[in-house]
Amino acid sequence: MTEDEKKRNKRHDQELERLALRWRDRLWLNQWRVKTRLVDRIIDKETGTDAEDTAAVTKHNVDYRELDIGILRRAWRNYSRERKNQVVAHEMVHGLLGSLREFIFRLLESPPKNNAQVDVYFEWFHAVDELLTTHVTDVLLDAAKELKGVQKK
C-alpha cells in the first residue's frame, strides 16, 4: 500500500468515526461505546461467503451499550457525503433499537409456555417499548427545537 493510499484510508476512517460520534450524540446514545471500522470484507453468517450486497454491518451489545460498525471500504469510497451520512445514521439506529431486537430474538428462541410467562414477556416488551418510544420522542423533540432555533435549557 502506498503512502497516499494509507493517508486516504486514514481520512476515510476518521470521517466514519466523526459521523458515528455525531449520530451517537444526535440520537442521545452518548453512554454507548462506538467502534467504527472500514473493512475489506463482510462475511455472510449463514453461508460463510462474502456478503456482496451488504455494505455495512453493526454488532451491538445492549447490556454493555456497545456498537461495532463495519462498513465496506470500497463502498465508502464511492459514497456521496449524503449517502455516508445515511448509512452511518442507519447503523446507529440499529443500536438504538437493539433492546427491542434482543427482546424479539429471545422470544423467538424460547417462546412462553404458559400464561405466567406470557405476562412476564408482555411486561418486558411494554418496558422496552416505552423506553424506546420515550427516547425517540425526546430525540425528535430536541431536533424540532433545533430546527426552530429554540435553545436547550
Side-chain angles (χ1 to χ4, degrees), residues 62-107:
V62 175
D63 295 331
Y64 294 100
R65 295 183 175 161
E66 297 174 336
L67 288 173
D68 184 355
I69 300 173
I71 299 178
L72 276 178
R73 187 177 307 280
R74 69 179 178 270
W76 187 261
R77 283 184 186 144
N78 295 320
Y79 286 160
S80 66
R81 275 199 174 132
E82 182 179 341
R83 179 68 178 141
K84 288 176 181 179
N85 194 45
Q86 181 184 33
V87 168
V88 173
H90 176 94
E91 296 307 314
M92 292 300 296
V93 169
H94 277 301
L96 177 63
L97 299 178
S99 53
L100 184 59
R101 178 184 167 128
E102 290 260 329
F103 167 78
I104 292 168
F105 280 6
R106 288 181 187 173
L107 179 62

Side-chain angles (χ1 to χ4, degrees), residues 90-153:
H90 176 94
E91 296 307 314
M92 292 300 296
V93 169
H94 277 301
L96 177 63
L97 299 178
S99 53
L100 184 59
R101 178 184 167 128
E102 290 260 329
F103 167 78
I104 292 168
F105 280 6
R106 288 181 187 173
L107 179 62
L108 293 173
E109 288 172 354
S110 56
K113 295 175 181 26
N114 56 50
N115 286 342
Q117 284 184 336
V118 169
D119 290 344
V120 169
Y121 273 84
F122 182 74
E123 287 177 32
W124 186 21
F125 174 78
H126 181 71
V128 169
D129 182 49
E130 281 302 312
L131 178 71
L132 287 173
T133 300
T134 300
H135 188 111
V136 170
T137 300
D138 290 343
V139 167
L140 292 173
L141 290 172
D142 188 56
K145 284 180 194 174
E146 213 173 90
L147 290 173
K148 291 180 180 179
V150 176
Q151 297 294 320
K152 285 188 203 180
K153 291 183 181 180

Side-chain angles (χ1 to χ4, degrees), residues 17-32:
E17 184 177 9
R18 276 193 310 272
L19 277 174
L21 293 177
R22 188 173 84 203
W23 278 106
R24 183 196 64 187
D25 294 348
R26 160 54 54 218
L27 294 171
W28 290 21
L29 296 172
N30 307 53
Q31 70 277 22
W32 285 67

Side-chain angles (χ1 to χ4, degrees), residues 32-46:
W32 285 67
R33 186 182 68 75
V34 178
K35 178 182 175 185
T36 59
R37 327 174 259 122
L38 292 173
V39 298
D40 296 320
R41 298 174 66 194
I42 294 177
I43 305 297
D44 185 304
K45 289 180 186 177
E46 293 178 16

